[in-house]
Every structure is written in structure tokens, then in C-alpha cells.
Amino acid sequence: MIQTASCSLDTLFNGRVNSKQEDGSLVSFSGRLNVPEYQRPYLWGKRETDRLLNDLTEYLLQESDERPDYYLGSIILHRKGDSLNIIDGQQRLTTIALLLTAINISEVPAIDYSSPSSTQQIRENYKYLLTRAEEFRPLYWRIREHVNVTLVVTDREDDAYTFFETQNTDGVRLSGVDIIKAYHLRAIKNSCSRSRAAVRWEKHNELDKVAILLLKARYWNCLRPRSAPGRNQKRAIKNAIVGEFSERTRKGHLPDVGFVFAKVQSTGSGIQTTLPNVSFAIRQPLNDGENLVDYMVAFSNLYSEVLPYKDGEWKDQSYESFINSIIKPVDGTLFLKELFEISLLCYAHRFGTEKLYEAALWLFRCTYEPRLKNPKTVKEVSVPEFLRGYPVVDIILNAFDHRELMEELKSFKATVNHENLTGNTVKRRYLQRLTEFFKISFHLDADAIDPRLKEGIISLIQ
């Protein structure tokens, strides 16, 4: 059942709503406001807070008995026992609650939170609102009694999720990762397990990036190829992430399962089996709930280990120097950089990080080939075009061991366009940086560059 009601903030924060409808009927419900684990954390800072407060001030300072109450928008609630779970509207409600608390600490609006990220941001924004408390003190009761909200209250969690996914009334647009987090945490029925999964998820701030890399690694499959959305197609990217990691995950409370390649070796004492550190395959089928959460967390951990892009994060200083000198500067290689990251993530998940530097050098040589082959700027479409000719992601995921993969990558023949060697161009300066890092002569014809680059790589890893 879905009910709607209109009320003041004072009524809502007190937890007892009685709203008369147009047909004369009375809608009544009560409960304590709560932000469930599957919601986004509280995110608002000074900018968003100022926007709301300035609008509120302008309205409330204009005294008029005929003016309607200030309308804060719709608030979507899921009624569960004695709790009113806030599905949409927590950014606005929390900000107003913090302001009222800053003005009058003796009457704190009751909202429960379970997200550590929310708690930290609440503290930060509360400090700021304390600096504006005196400004709003004369308006305290006007805010409580003359700020109006429309409540949409549902008893079914599925309806709550639908509203959560489709609404965008609080000014912080849901990303695809926000939506899949909500979906899969909701699928975990045990509350303790759900809380643990939520905490693990929130520790990873690279999940938006990692989700896109995983999405493309799954899409760029020569057996079942799919076209990945363009970098600027924000809505299409969001829909693709939701589709791949929620709509196409397997339903029905299935187990938390990973699929991996195992190394089986015969020894004098019997059979020895070695499993990879990451207990999931990038392209494996995924089940709702903990399985998807564990999959995302595992690859986020791996991404942080392989590509932190921060000085001093690696034990291997040669690898750190290569990433910071060659990969980190974009200068026209944005789409190739993403392909390199996907390839390196695939490598690390299959073969670990022990020989990461060697793998990175050879993967760089092939994935960045379009940079010196294309006479013009490398565009986004250049990547799928390159993969049709050399499906490097499939090659990595189907290799049996590091040695086999390195032999394959060494056999790749890179082409250099002679036009990119002339003039004071971005590409020529890029090539200059390569020759300095790999210690090869810059005064070469186009056909000689790749063989010398191979020699440079071999000299660096010996």
C-alpha cells in the first residue's frame, strides 16, 4: 500500500503524522526516521547547504499571512515496523535537522543513521551550521512549523527501491554504483550481514571507476561483443552499470560463488593446487546480494593495489617510476590509458602482482600503439577498433600463465606512423618522453622505433 500525506517538518520530526486528504479521509502513521544501510551516505557540504539556506531565508523573511508554507519537496519513506526509512530526501532533511539542532540543542530532530560516512559528513556540516545558527535563530519556529513536505509512504520494500532508483529531488543524482549498492544490500536479508556488507562497500571510494573498468572488460568480449557507452554518455553509462550488475545478476538467494583458474601441479608427494589471490573471474556470472558486493570489493582492492597513482604506494620503485612518467600524464591518451588500466587489472587478477612491472611494460607497448600509429588524435572509437584487430583483454583472460602471455605480447607488431615523428607536435613530444624513459635513440625512422622499444623493455626488466 502507498499513501501520501502533507505535513510540516515539526510534525514529521515528532514522528506522528495525521494528514487530511482532499476527500476528507485521514492518513495517519507514526515512526522514527531512519536512513537504511542501502541508501547513499549523507553528502552535502557548504555549497549545497548554502543553496538551500539562502532560498529558505529569502522565503521566510517575507512576512505574509497569505503566503503558503515553504515547500521542501517530496520525501519518500518505507514504513517498516516502528521505523520510517528515508528512501529519498535524506540530504534535505538532514541539513534542516542539523540547522535546527545548531539553533536549539535541547530539541534534536530524531533521525537514525547507520553509515560511518554519513556520521563523519554530518559532523563536518554541523560545524559549519553552528556558524550560521544566530542568523536563523529568529526563524526557528517558522522553519519547524511553516516548512512543508509531501510524504510518499510505502509498506513494500520493492516499491521503496523503485522510488529510490527513479527519484532525484535532493540535488544529488544517483550514480549507477549508488543504485546497484542499494539493490544488492536490499537483497541481503540478514541484517547483520547487510550491515557488514554496507561497511565494506563504503570503504572503497574508487568503486565508480572500478565499475566502469569491469563493465568494459565484460563488454569487450570477442565471443559476445557489446558496445560500451561513450565517456560523455552519463545516462547510458549509468544504465549499463545497472543493467550489467543488477538487472542481469542471477536472482533467488543464490550462494556467494567465485569462479577461478587453478594451477594444478604434480609433485613427488602428490597433486598441488594453487589458487589466485582474487577469488572471482572478471567475466563470471554474478548472484544478487553478497556475491555482487564481494566481487566489487575484491576488484576495488586489486585496483588500489595495482594503480593507486600516488607516490610511495609501491614497493617496486621501477614500476612506480613507469606509471608516473608514462601512464599518469594523459596528453592525448585518455582512452588508451583506460584500456591499459583494464588490461593491467585483468592481468593482476589472473596472475597476481609478482611480475607486474614486466607485464605493464609489454601491455603498454601494445595498448598504446594507436598513439603513434594514428595520424590524428586517438578518439574513443579507436579503442574498439584496435580490439577488433588485437583483442588484448581476451588474450590476457585466456592465457594459462605469465610466460605464455609475455610471449604473446612480445609477438605483437606495433606500427609507427612517420608523420608523428616530425614537427613540434604533442605526439612527437610524447615520443621524446618514451625515448628518454626507455633509453633509446630518438633519431630513428618509423620502422625502427618498435624494435628499439622492445630492446628498451628487455633492458629494463633484466
Side-chain angles (χ1 to χ4, degrees):
M1 180 176 67
I2 297 176
Q3 295 178 306
T4 60
S6 178
C7 70
S8 68
L9 285 181
D10 190 57
T11 298
L12 178 61
F13 288 146
N14 283 329
R16 293 185 180 277
V17 175
N18 295 290
S19 176
K20 190 174 182 179
Q21 307 297 290
E22 291 184 0
D23 61 2
S25 63
L26 188 67
V27 172
S28 300
F29 55 87
S30 62
R32 185 179 176 93
L33 293 172
N34 173 64
V35 180
E37 299 99 328
Y38 60 78
Q39 262 281 27
R40 291 167 295 169
Y42 178 64
L43 299 172
W44 275 19
K46 181 177 181 297
R47 183 181 63 178
E48 296 85 0
T49 298
D50 281 345
R51 186 184 302 127
L52 174 61
L53 297 189
N54 292 341
D55 189 46
L56 188 63
T57 303
E58 181 181 354
Y59 185 92
L60 293 178
L61 288 178
Q62 297 179 20
E63 297 281 355
S64 174
D65 293 335
E66 297 179 358
R67 292 194 74 182
D69 290 344
Y70 178 87
Y71 183 56
L72 193 62
S74 62
I75 305 295
I76 299 170
L77 303 174
H78 169 222
R79 180 167 46 194
K80 184 177 182 181
D82 294 331
S83 293
L84 295 173
N85 290 335
I86 303 171
I87 305 305
D88 189 68
Q90 69 144 319
Q91 310 291 331
R92 290 164 287 148
L93 284 182
T94 300
T95 302
I96 293 291
L98 290 174
L99 175 65
L100 294 173
T101 303
I103 297 171
N104 185 2
I105 192 65
S106 65
E107 293 191 37
V108 178
I111 305 178
D112 295 328
Y113 300 86
S114 24
S115 164
S117 299
S118 291
T119 304
Q120 179 60 34
Q121 187 58 28
I122 284 170
R123 289 195 189 100
E124 292 300 316
N125 219 21
Y126 181 65
K127 291 177 185 177
Y128 171 63
L129 286 164
L130 283 172
T131 68
R132 300 195 64 176
E134 288 303 317
E135 173 187 348
F136 284 90
R137 195 174 301 281
L139 301 175
Y140 178 79
W141 284 109
R142 285 181 61 78
I143 294 172
R144 290 195 72 108
E145 296 176 353
H146 295 285
V147 172
N148 175 269
V149 292
T150 297
L151 304 179
V152 179
V153 186
T154 173
D155 291 323
R156 296 183 66 246
E157 197 170 25
D158 286 344
D159 291 336
Y161 171 71
T162 301
F163 280 120
F164 176 82
E165 181 176 343
T166 58
Q167 295 298 308
N168 182 41
T169 57
D170 62 7
V172 181
R173 186 174 297 276
L174 294 173
S175 72
V177 169
D178 289 327
I179 293 170
I180 64 173
K181 173 190 172 185
Y183 178 86
H184 290 287
L185 290 180
R186 185 174 61 90
I188 303 172
K189 298 306 179 185
N190 180 277
S191 60
C192 292
S193 298
R194 185 167 60 242
S195 296
R196 287 195 297 268
V199 170
R200 285 179 21 247
W201 186 287
E202 287 179 10
K203 289 180 179 178
H204 297 273
N205 56 14
E206 297 280 3
L207 277 170
D208 286 284
K209 171 71 171 177
V210 172
I212 293 174
L213 298 182
L214 293 173
L215 177 77
K216 291 186 176 182
R218 293 167 75 95
Y219 272 35
W220 291 339
N221 182 340
C222 61
L223 292 179
R224 293 181 294 276
R226 288 177 283 172
S227 297
R231 185 180 183 86
N232 295 323
Q233 296 175 293
K234 304 299 184 184
R235 182 176 293 275
I237 291 173
K238 171 180 171 178
N239 291 340
I241 288 173
V242 173
E244 184 71 11
F245 298 120
S246 287
E247 294 171 1
R248 282 189 284 276
T249 52
R250 300 190 293 191
K251 321 300 178 189
H253 309 296
L254 297 172
D256 187 2
V257 177
F259 298 87
V260 298
F261 285 91
K263 178 181 177 182
V264 181
Q265 184 175 355
S266 297
T267 67
S269 58
I271 299 296
Q272 179 181 341
T273 303
T274 306
L275 297 174
N277 292 331
V278 179
S279 57
F280 294 95
I282 279 185
R283 290 174 176 169
Q284 74 166 67
L286 295 163
N287 300 334
D288 281 358
E290 289 184 271
N291 190 225
L292 186 282
V293 173
D294 287 343
Y295 172 88
M296 284 293 179
V297 168
F299 282 106
S300 181
N301 283 331
L302 186 63
Y303 178 83
S304 298
E305 181 181 353
V306 172
L307 289 164
Y309 290 110
K310 294 177 182 177
D311 293 338
E313 293 284 333
W314 294 286
K315 296 178 181 178
D316 188 339
Q317 293 183 349
S318 296
Y319 177 70
E320 178 177 353
S321 174
F322 167 68
I323 294 293
N324 286 334
S325 301
I326 303 300
I327 303 300
K328 190 175 181 179
V330 176
D331 61 7
T333 63
L334 179 65
F335 305 118
L336 301 181
K337 177 173 176 284
E338 183 178 63
L339 174 60
F340 171 82
E341 290 185 345
I342 292 170
S343 300
L344 200 61
L345 191 67
C346 288
Y347 170 84
H349 122 265
R350 284 284 285 111
F351 307 114
T353 59
E354 182 180 356
K355 298 181 179 179
L356 190 64
Y357 182 40
E358 179 185 3
L361 294 174
W362 290 113
L363 286 170
F364 162 76
R365 173 176 163 265
C366 72
T367 56
Y368 275 67
E369 187 216 23
R371 184 75 173 105
L372 293 176
K373 180 180 180 180
N374 295 13
K376 296 182 180 180
T377 302
V378 175
K379 298 181 179 179
E380 195 164 10
V381 295
S382 302
V383 174
E385 289 173 359
F386 170 80
L387 290 172
R388 281 192 288 271
Y390 192 75
V392 63
V393 177
D394 294 280
I395 290 169
I396 297 166
L397 294 178
N398 288 289
F400 284 100
D401 60 17
H402 169 84
R403 181 174 179 175
E404 180 191 25
L405 178 60
M406 293 304 102
E407 289 174 354
E408 167 60 36
L409 295 177
K410 291 174 187 176
S411 71
F412 174 79
K413 297 186 183 301
T415 302
V416 179
N417 191 316
H418 70 89
E419 295 180 14
N420 294 325
L421 307 181
T422 60
N424 185 24
T425 64
V426 174
K427 287 194 177 186
R428 193 175 186 276
R429 292 193 294 274
Y430 166 77
L431 183 57
Q432 177 69 50
R433 194 167 74 248
L434 295 191
T435 57
E436 291 172 356
F437 181 84
F438 289 100
K439 297 181 174 60
I440 57 177
S441 173
F442 184 71
H443 301 290
L444 299 169
D445 61 55
D447 293 337
I449 287 179
D450 186 53
R452 294 299 303 276
L453 182 59
K454 290 176 67 175
E455 292 174 8
I457 292 174
I458 292 170
S459 66
L460 287 176
I461 59 179
Q462 286 179 342

